[in-house]
Amino acid sequence: MKETHVFGLPLERGRWIFVLLGLIINICLGSIYAWSVFVAPLTEYFTTELHLSVTAGEVLMPFSIFLAAFAIAMPLTGRYIDEWGPRKTTIIGGVLTALGWMLASTATSVEMLYLVYGVIGGAGVGIAYGVPVALATRWFPDRRGFAVGLALLGFGFSAFISANIAGILIPMVGVMHTFRIFGAAFLIITLLCSMPLRFPETGWVPHGWAPPASAVTETCECDRSRMIRTPTFYGLWICYFIGCLAGLMAISISQPVGVEVVGITPVLATALVGIFAIFNGGGRPAFGWLTDLLRPKNTAMISFLLIAAASLLLWQVPSQITYIVAFCILWGCLGGWLAIAPTATARYFGTCDYPRCYGLVFLAYGAGAIAGPQLAGFIRDSTGSYIGVFPYIMVLAIIGAVIGFFLLRPVVNQNE
C-alpha cells in the first residue's frame, strides 16, 4: 500500500519534521564550531595543571583533526546510509561523537586530545552528518537547497548555544568537566532524535509537483566513478575547499582575534562567537534558497565576493566594528558553502549515488579544516598577530571566484 502520511500528517507536511530532527541532531554535531572558546582554558589547563608547554598551533590542532576525521568518514561511510538506514547510521555516529567529547575530559596531553576528541569525535560526526543532508535531498526534491540549508542550520547555529553554555560551565566546573557534560547531553539527544528517521519510498515526489525543465536538463544521474571524470567535480571541490578554508580559519580564531587584534574583552569575544554562529546557521538556508533561485555557480560568485570584501575590510581597517561585520560575513559564507555544495552535488550529479558522491565532495571540507586553522596558527606564531591571515583569505576568494566562473557548469552540457 502506498504511503500517504508520516507523523500523522500528509507527507508534504509531515516531511518537515525530518528537517526539524536533522536540525536538532546537527546542533549536537556542530558544537565543534565553539572550539575557539575552549582554546584559552585548555591552554591554561595544560600549562598550569599539567605543567606542559603548548603553542597556539597545538591547541588549534584538535579542531583541525576533528574536522579532518569528520570529512574523511563522510565518503568512507556514505554508502552505509542506504545500507543501514538513517536511524542506525545516526545512532552509530551519535554514540561515537558523544564518546569523543566524554573521553576528551580524561586527556592528559594534547596528543591524547588529538586522538580521543579529534579522531573518535570527528569520525562520529562524519558518520551522522550525511543523514540529515540525504534526508533533505530525498524528501524535498522541490525545495532541495532550502531544506538542506534548514537541516544544516543546526550545525552552524550550534556554536551560539554551545559557546554560551561552555562560557558558563567552564568557570563553574572547569574545562574538562565541561567536555564530559557536553558528551552526555549529546548522547541522549541524538539517540532520541534518531528513532523516527527514514527515507521516502523510491521515486516519491510531492503531490502535483514536477521538476522544472532547467533542473531536468542540467542534472546528470552520475555515479561516483563518472562524477570524478568531469571538470565540474574538480571545480566544485576546489571552490568548496576555498570557501571552507576561509570560514574554518575564521571560526578557529574568532575569539583570539577579537581580544588580541581589536582589543575587546574575552567575555565579549566569547559572546560574539555566539552571534557569529547565528550568521553561520542562517547562511545555510539563505544560501540554499539562493542556490535554488540563482543556481550554484552564481551563488558561489556571491559568496566569494563577500569573503574577499570582508577580509579586505578587516585587514585594512581593523576595529571593533569591522571585526564584527567581517566575522559575521565569514561565518555566514561558511554556512553558505555547506548548503551550496550539497545542493550543487544533487543538481549536477543527481541523487542515484548521492551519499557517496557528496561524501567525496565533502573531502574538500576536511582539507579546508586542516589547512585553515593551521595556517592561522602558523601566521600567529611567526608574526605575533592574526591580522596577516586576512590578505591570504582575500586572495584565495578571488581565485575561487575565477575557478567557479569557468568550471561550475552542468555535466550534461559537457563532452565527456
Side-chain angles (χ1 to χ4, degrees):
M1 184 176 177
K2 190 174 182 178
E3 181 183 37
T4 58
H5 288 72
V6 63
F7 300 110
L9 298 169
L11 294 178
E12 287 76 13
R13 293 173 57 192
R15 60 182 176 158
W16 290 101
I17 297 177
F18 292 115
V19 173
L20 176 62
L21 293 172
L23 185 153
I24 294 170
I25 291 167
N26 274 322
I27 288 175
C28 298
L29 303 180
S31 293
I32 179 61
Y33 282 172
W35 184 255
S36 66
V37 176
F38 288 84
V39 170
L42 275 173
T43 303
E44 182 180 359
Y45 174 80
F46 283 122
T47 54
T48 61
E49 297 291 329
L50 301 181
H51 307 292
L52 300 172
S53 177
V54 295
T55 66
E58 288 173 333
V59 181
L60 287 171
M61 183 63 80
F63 178 84
S64 293
I65 294 175
F66 188 107
L67 294 178
F70 167 19
I72 292 169
M74 273 275 290
L76 293 179
T77 61
R79 68 186 182 93
Y80 294 108
I81 295 176
D82 286 324
E83 184 177 326
W84 297 338
R87 180 188 301 115
K88 186 182 292 186
T89 305
T90 304
I91 290 172
I92 294 170
V95 168
L96 286 175
T97 302
L99 186 64
W101 280 86
M102 287 188 281
L103 289 176
S105 68
T106 67
T108 55
S109 67
V110 287
E111 291 79 13
M112 184 177 176
L113 200 61
Y114 300 163
L115 175 63
V116 297
Y117 181 81
V119 176
I120 296 175
V125 172
I127 293 169
Y129 179 86
V131 174
V133 176
L135 282 167
T137 58
R138 296 189 188 182
W139 278 106
F140 290 86
D142 52 335
R143 308 179 71 178
R144 187 171 284 139
F146 183 63
V148 168
L150 278 180
L152 296 180
L153 184 151
F155 203 95
F157 189 73
S158 175
F160 176 76
I161 299 172
S162 53
N164 284 289
I165 293 175
I168 295 169
L169 287 177
I170 290 172
M172 290 176 56
V173 301
V175 65
M176 291 309 194
H177 286 299
T178 300
F179 279 124
R180 188 176 298 118
I181 292 168
F182 272 38
F186 297 159
L187 179 64
I188 295 168
I189 294 169
T190 54
L191 289 178
L192 289 175
C193 289
S194 66
M195 292 298 109
L197 301 181
R198 61 185 177 84
F199 289 129
E201 295 178 350
T202 303
W204 179 83
V205 296
H207 179 69
W209 176 81
S214 62
V216 173
T217 58
E218 287 186 1
T219 301
C220 168
E221 288 291 342
C222 302
D223 61 15
R224 188 168 66 178
S225 62
R226 184 181 178 192
M227 179 187 74
I228 63 175
R229 297 197 299 269
T230 68
T232 301
F233 164 71
Y234 295 98
L236 178 59
W237 200 97
I238 295 169
C239 288
Y240 198 14
F241 166 71
I242 292 173
C244 289
L245 182 149
L248 293 169
M249 186 187 298
I251 281 177
S252 70
I253 62 174
S254 296
Q255 196 212 41
V257 168
V259 174
E260 297 178 21
V261 175
V262 300
I264 61 178
T265 66
V267 173
L268 178 57
T270 300
L272 284 172
V273 168
I275 301 300
F276 300 151
I278 295 175
F279 283 84
N280 183 259
R284 298 163 197 241
F287 277 91
W289 174 76
L290 281 175
T291 305
D292 286 336
L293 182 67
L294 303 177
R295 303 182 185 179
K297 176 179 177 177
N298 296 327
T299 310
M301 296 299 101
I302 293 171
S303 171
F304 284 131
L305 289 174
L306 287 171
I307 292 170
S311 302
L312 177 63
L313 179 68
L314 187 55
W315 175 35
Q316 292 297 310
V317 193
S319 69
Q320 294 184 14
I321 295 298
T322 56
Y323 162 71
I324 294 171
V325 171
F327 272 80
C328 284
I329 292 172
L330 291 170
W331 279 62
C333 287
L334 173 64
W337 269 103
L338 288 160
I340 295 168
T343 306
T345 303
R347 176 92 177 202
Y348 292 140
F349 307 114
T351 58
C352 69
D353 196 18
Y354 184 82
R356 294 203 314 152
C357 286
Y358 183 58
L360 196 58
V361 172
F362 195 76
L363 283 174
Y365 179 96
I370 295 171
Q374 291 309 300
L375 177 59
F378 172 77
I379 293 171
R380 169 66 175 81
D381 290 337
S382 59
T383 68
S385 174
Y386 284 113
I387 196 66
V389 167
F390 298 100
Y392 284 95
I393 296 177
M394 182 187 70
V395 171
L396 285 169
I398 294 170
I399 294 171
V402 173
I403 292 171
F405 181 81
F406 288 104
L407 294 183
L408 289 183
R409 51 200 175 99
V411 174
V412 290
N413 293 342
Q414 299 169 21
N415 294 318
E416 299 182 57

